[in-house]
Amino acid sequence: MSQHLLLPLVILAISPIPGAFPDSAFSPTQEEPEDLDCGRPEPSARIMGGSDAQPGSWPWQVSLHQGGGHICGGSLIAPSWVLSAAHCFVTNGTLAPAAEWTVVLGVHSQNGPLDGAHVRAVAAILVPDNYSSVELGADVALLRLASPARLGPAVRPVCLPRASHRFAHGTACRATGWGDIQEEDPLPLPWVLQEVELRLLGEAACQCLYSRPGPFNLTFQLLPGMLCAGYAEGHRDTCQGDSGGPLVCEEGGRWFQAGITSFGFGCGRRNRPGVFTAVAPYEAWIREQVMGSEPGPTFPSQSPQPQSVLSEPTDENCTIALPECGKAPRPGAWPWEAQVMVPGSRPCYGALVSESWVLAPASCFLGRISSDHQPGDLDNWRVLLPSRPRAEHVARLVPHENASWDDASDLALLQLREPVNLGAAPRPVCLPHPDHYFLPGSRCRLAHWGRGEPAPGSSSLLEAELLGTWWCHCLYGRQEATVPPPGEPPQALCPAYQQEEAVAGRCWNYSHRSLLCREEGTWFLAGIRNFPSDCLRPRVFYPLQTHGPWISHVTRGAYLEDQLAWDWGPEGEETETHICPPHTEHGACGLQPEPAPVGVLWPWLAEVHVAGEHVCTGILVAPGWVLAATHCVLRPGSTTVPYIEVYLGRAGASPLPQSHQVSRSVISIRLPRHLGLRPPLALLELSSRVEPSPSALSICLHPGGIPLGSSCWVLGWKDPQDRVPMAASVSILTPRLCHCLYQGILSPGTFCVLYAEGQEDRCEVTSAPPLLCQTEGGSWVLVGMAIRGSRELFAAIGPEETWISQTVGEAHFLPPSGFPLWPPESSDLCPPDMAGASGSPQAAIFLLLLTPLIQG
Ligand code: 4AZ
């Protein structure tokens, strides 16, 4: 089943003690012959405690095998009949052939030769006509054995409830099986039958829990014929592989089968108790199927029950369980912060993930442990936890198997010698399931991780907002890679810091941090980063969610918590597949961030403030370089270099606080060598690099012409005071049209544009706006910069490729694609009346387009 899983059939401390039931409690009814006694395990002395069932406790439990392995559970209800779940046998509406199945009876541990067990072939599988899928109910099946089971101490039938039988809410019952002990975590060898105590939940209480959005925002409608058992807080449950097995409740010394394990959402999750097929409503169906088979199942009448128990309480309270992990009194006061003290080194920071386990980077300890981490070595290790009077001892260290070569798996789990009492502190952090989707814009914090140094500057540096998966993946991932959609683990998590600037130029020598993200007031350990590679701040984190299964497998009880925030925004869930635009040899360029988190739509657009006098646009072409129009930065005839300051990261209409902007001063102006004329393009060298972020990202450049299939825009501002960025849609004219329109006045490599209707006045000429095109792949490309005083003419970037590449080093020239220039034109001649055409360009162009007809 796909909606598998949960929690361990947790080991129960309480085992049934059949011998404790006085014989007088057993009074077979007249229609039930005594030799077919049901629901009573063989009385035996046994030890209490543990999670494995005692051999012989559940003699009706059978294992259903297909292809040589255990698939589902079942229960013996008569020598020739086994009760199980329909979904074990029906795939896509087709019932599996009975011959594929065998029934193993009297088995306890499924490891090795099945001592004392015996096997029966299946003669027929019967499923109700109205069964279609588990969520729609009727998940029940009967198996007729090819020959009767051999009854004995380890093989006995269970009692079935009559249709009138009522099991009281809150009754502690038992589920048994060989299913997974947690989601995606199979029962380990020697595969001993597990039992778990589950309380029956009333219909109202169960429906109330399932009406709250849970894993993947799903809710579920409980139907008649289903029953729920488990706990709002989760932890104890059935799981994949337990299906078809029995849920039994003891009454008057006999065990009645109240339910058949059917399904659930995950295993042991909060507010998601297991769902069972109620057996009592199927009395008639069962009797009908087994009719004529002797001896048949036993349906003892219910011993009288106090009326209070039988009446269905209508006001059953609905107690939603809240997360037990991830609550902090305030950001920064982390009740899970664990300091691992290893003699001879600085403390290593990790996080408490359960009452007995701490997660920390393996690189803190690697080299200190022999391959089998001798316990002697751990004797002097200590763990400091908040609000604990004394340091904890360490019993075991379990490094991740890939820790030594894969930075994304730089993890180790440390088991404390004694579990700690959980409360306000210490309290574990929540861990995400693999399908967790941290929404773009989530509020996050950076916390200590490993041997990181305290962050320089203010604590707001540790605040972050999560960027969209697309942006993060395409900036740091592979070009043309598919972006993982919500629900698939991301390859990277990118937080945007509140103060991009404050650490520029400073170096966090040890940029070891973990990323904590908050959902509905609950903190999750979302990512880790543990290498001091670039000495700037950390900006991309390895997601922890892929490690959830390993952590829960090792710890058997870390707090994996469901996603709590589901507000995907107005567009809802994004299902479209996104592909990252091509990278250049210097990485990603021209990615336009989704507007949501930071609000900057044009991360390459710079304000160039010249000598405190005027401002024009510039374009970030590499981490330390801005391209601008020469006429903007150098006064005609002047030879002195003015003081220039460059600002990046300006949001749309709403000016962002100063802290969002990135500023740099210009330390040199570079011009290409041009014969005679003053070159139109200037490169400004910034005082320091600007690392990629959603507020400052280099644009792509194109070596010639216009990338095929692109749409083009002039980007500037209308008002020189507020400088709100504006983009005006334009078409680029063919060289012939351009030449004819502006005959004689153009230098080669000049673009002319035609504004879309009503867009001409969107940008102020004095802003010296750039001409950008967005390629079909989605990257933004700079193709020209405005020529002095013109709104229509742009100096092409392509011809200056060599100069730009040599000056800048890291310029992002895309490989030539499509037609680098326009297709050849039929004639170089301009129509006679067009030379020096004045008046409206639209009118002139109309004329031009007509000329071939006129000439022809
Ligand atoms: C299963 O896949 C299954 N937690 C059985 C029970 C539950 C979930 C899944 C209930 O067989």
Side-chain angles (χ1 to χ4, degrees):
M1 287 186 54
S2 55
Q3 62 278 63
H4 32 264
L5 346 306
L6 232 347
L7 247 206
L9 271 184
V10 168
I11 307 357
L12 282 203
I14 313 149
S15 300
I17 311 175
F21 305 129
D23 273 359
S24 57
F26 168 45
S27 49
T29 57
Q30 278 174 334
E31 70 263 40
E32 315 295 348
E34 204 169 338
D35 61 345
L36 250 190
D37 193 12
C38 66
R40 296 175 189 276
E42 176 83 346
S44 68
R46 75 174 96 78
I47 296 144
M48 290 197 26
S51 57
D52 296 347
Q54 294 293 322
S57 315
W58 313 108
W60 41 81
Q61 173 81 46
V62 303
S63 169
L64 304 180
H65 284 218
Q66 188 191 34
H70 168 92
I71 304 288
C72 273
S75 55
L76 190 71
I77 58 166
S80 290
W81 291 95
V82 162
L83 187 64
S84 185
H87 82 256
C88 296
F89 311 100
V90 179
T91 335
N92 300 328
T94 309
L95 189 63
E100 289 179 0
W101 292 84
T102 52
V103 176
V104 187
L105 302 110
V107 63
H108 175 66
S109 151
Q110 298 217 36
N111 191 21
L114 304 177
D115 285 338
H118 63 286
V119 179
R120 289 288 178 267
V122 177
I125 302 173
L126 312 171
V127 165
D129 293 338
N130 62 342
Y131 171 78
S132 56
S133 70
V134 286
E135 294 90 346
L136 299 177
D139 189 17
V140 49
L142 276 170
L143 273 58
R144 186 158 53 78
L145 307 186
S147 56
R150 233 185 306 119
L151 303 190
V155 180
R156 288 158 177 259
V158 69
C159 302
L160 294 183
R162 297 180 176 189
S164 57
H165 202 120
R166 292 288 173 272
F167 295 97
H169 305 157
T171 306
C173 302
R174 303 296 166 86
T176 45
W178 290 274
D180 291 355
I181 56 165
Q182 315 185 83
E183 294 183 21
E184 315 289 356
D185 197 1
L187 179 65
L189 287 171
W191 296 331
V192 172
L193 180 67
Q194 303 290 296
E195 62 173 57
V196 67
E197 182 176 280
L198 300 178
R199 289 197 179 266
L200 299 186
L201 280 155
E203 195 187 307
C206 183
Q207 184 61 68
C208 149
L209 298 180
Y210 268 101
S211 306
R212 303 263 305 194
F216 265 69
N217 215 13
L218 294 175
T219 59
F220 162 74
Q221 180 68 47
L222 198 69
L223 298 173
M226 295 179 177
L227 76 82
C228 298
Y231 306 86
E233 66 272 23
H235 305 305
R236 281 175 281 178
D237 196 2
T238 50
C239 201
Q240 188 157 34
D242 293 323
S243 286
L247 173 73
V248 294
C249 312
E250 187 267 324
E251 265 177 41
R254 295 169 179 274
W255 290 88
F256 285 83
Q257 183 169 355
I260 303 165
T261 299
S262 178
F263 74 107
F265 288 85
C267 304
R269 297 196 183 195
R270 262 187 327 116
N271 303 323
R272 291 295 177 269
V275 182
F276 298 77
T277 307
V279 177
Y282 288 92
E283 178 188 0
W285 182 78
I286 295 171
R287 285 194 192 273
E288 203 180 302
Q289 310 307 310
V290 304
M291 201 146 51
S293 165
E294 286 296 338
T298 314
F299 292 87
S301 55
Q302 186 167 26
S303 349
Q305 295 247 356
Q307 201 52 40
S308 62
V309 178
L310 290 178
S311 63
E312 296 266 338
T314 47
D315 57 345
E316 198 184 15
N317 61 357
C318 173
T319 318
I320 302 281
L322 298 173
E324 295 161 71
C325 51
K327 289 270 175 289
R330 65 194 146 75
W334 308 121
W336 44 84
E337 187 175 88
Q339 283 184 60
V340 184
M341 319 293 287
V342 176
S345 38
R346 286 188 297 126
C348 171
Y349 285 88
L352 187 70
V353 294
S354 78
E355 55 181 6
S356 299
W357 291 87
V358 166
L359 183 69
S363 51
C364 280
F365 319 115
L366 288 178
R368 310 193 152 266
I369 40 169
S370 61
S371 54
D372 57 353
H373 14 101
Q374 300 138 358
D377 200 12
L378 300 177
D379 274 351
N380 300 322
W381 294 28
R382 294 289 182 274
V383 174
L384 296 178
L385 293 170
S387 305
R388 293 281 295 178
R390 271 184 295 280
E392 320 298 324
H393 289 253
V394 176
R396 203 149 71 97
L397 176 69
V398 185
H400 190 287
E401 56 179 352
N402 302 341
S404 57
W405 58 270
D406 175 20
D407 288 328
S409 305
D410 184 11
L411 293 170
L413 283 158
L414 289 100
Q415 186 176 27
L416 306 179
R417 216 182 266 173
E418 303 286 342
V420 294
N421 285 330
L422 301 180
R427 183 202 290 276
V429 69
C430 298
L431 301 176
H433 284 285
D435 55 11
H436 200 114
Y437 178 57
F438 289 103
L439 299 174
S442 296
R443 295 291 169 171
C444 302
R445 288 269 172 168
L446 306 189
H448 270 312
W449 184 249
R451 301 225 163 87
E453 285 175 349
S458 77
S459 70
S460 66
L461 274 177
L462 303 175
E463 291 179 34
E465 194 174 290
L466 215 56
L467 297 176
T469 322
W470 178 84
W471 205 87
C472 182
H473 186 81
C474 294
L475 187 60
Y476 294 104
R478 279 175 304 115
Q479 61 174 329
E480 280 162 48
T482 323
V483 183
E488 264 173 40
Q491 278 162 24
L493 292 173
C494 297
Y497 304 95
Q498 298 295 307
Q499 294 183 5
E500 282 288 332
E501 259 323 76
V503 279
R506 294 201 52 183
C507 197
W508 293 11
N509 265 327
Y510 295 91
S511 60
H512 303 210
R513 301 278 146 198
S514 63
L515 180 68
L516 296 166
C517 294
R518 182 162 51 185
E519 284 183 4
E520 310 259 297
T522 297
W523 292 92
F524 286 83
L525 186 59
I528 54 160
R529 162 141 175 155
N530 200 43
F531 52 91
S533 63
D534 60 25
C535 84
L536 279 164
R537 58 206 178 278
R539 60 172 63 257
V540 53
F541 284 76
Y542 296 117
L544 196 72
Q545 57 205 80
T546 31
H547 299 296
W550 169 70
I551 298 170
S552 47
H553 174 75
V554 174
T555 62
R556 298 272 170 85
Y559 286 80
L560 266 65
E561 178 58 52
D562 287 319
Q563 184 161 341
L564 298 165
W566 290 102
D567 184 6
W568 307 71
E571 277 97 69
E573 190 170 335
E574 291 232 16
T575 47
E576 239 178 275
T577 315
H578 289 280
I579 310 273
C580 295
H583 285 194
T584 69
E585 59 177 316
H586 303 299
C589 56
L591 302 182
Q592 194 176 33
E594 299 105 335
V598 184
V600 179
L601 273 176
W602 309 105
W604 40 81
L605 181 64
E607 284 181 10
V608 180
H609 292 236
V610 185
E613 279 174 25
H614 64 280
V615 184
C616 52
T617 52
I619 294 288
L620 191 69
V621 293
W625 294 87
V626 162
L627 192 72
T630 308
H631 69 80
C632 166
V633 291
L634 290 177
R635 286 280 122 127
S638 159
T639 49
T640 55
V641 174
Y643 177 71
I644 302 179
E645 214 152 0
V646 166
Y647 294 88
L648 290 147
R650 171 70 117 100
S654 58
L656 284 171
Q658 199 62 21
S659 62
H660 276 266
Q661 293 194 358
V662 177
S663 73
R664 296 285 188 277
S665 54
V666 169
I667 54 171
S668 77
I669 300 177
R670 311 287 180 87
L671 300 178
R673 264 182 238 283
H674 271 231
L675 292 173
L677 287 172
R678 183 172 237 196
L681 301 175
L683 276 166
L684 313 182
E685 185 182 3
L686 307 183
S687 51
S688 63
R689 290 171 64 88
V690 184
E691 296 301 324
S693 79
S695 336
L697 180 67
S698 307
I699 198 150
C700 309
L701 301 167
H702 199 263
I706 308 300
L708 195 66
S710 54
S711 46
C712 302
W713 307 77
V714 172
L715 181 62
W717 50 76
K718 177 73 190 140
D719 179 341
Q721 295 308 309
D722 70 13
R723 296 188 292 274
V724 173
M726 296 271 190
S729 164
V730 294
S731 6
I732 299 183
L733 303 186
T734 66
R736 174 169 167 261
L737 285 174
C738 190
H739 168 79
C740 292
L741 264 176
Y742 297 92
Q743 223 169 35
I745 59 163
L746 294 186
S747 45
T750 305
F751 288 127
C752 320
V753 306
L754 181 66
Y755 284 81
E757 218 177 307
Q759 305 250 319
E760 310 72 5
D761 294 332
R762 285 176 73 92
C763 303
E764 182 62 37
V765 180
T766 56
S767 66
L771 175 60
L772 312 175
C773 298
Q774 192 179 23
T775 64
E776 275 175 324
S779 326
W780 285 85
V781 181
L782 177 67
V783 299
M785 289 299 294
I787 283 176
R788 183 181 186 82
S790 175
R791 224 194 284 279
E792 281 91 19
L793 301 179
F794 294 82
I797 305 298
E800 303 295 357
E801 178 181 3
T802 313
W803 167 66
I804 296 175
S805 298
Q806 283 174 355
T807 312
V808 163
E810 287 173 75
H812 294 267
F813 277 96
L814 291 175
S817 64
F819 294 108
L821 292 165
W822 290 268
E825 291 174 276
S826 53
S827 156
D828 280 345
L829 295 177
C830 297
D833 298 342
M834 280 302 301
S838 57
S840 114
Q842 263 90 357
I845 284 155
F846 183 66
L847 248 179
L848 261 175
L849 292 173
L850 284 178
T851 49
L853 294 174
I854 299 165
Q855 285 170 348

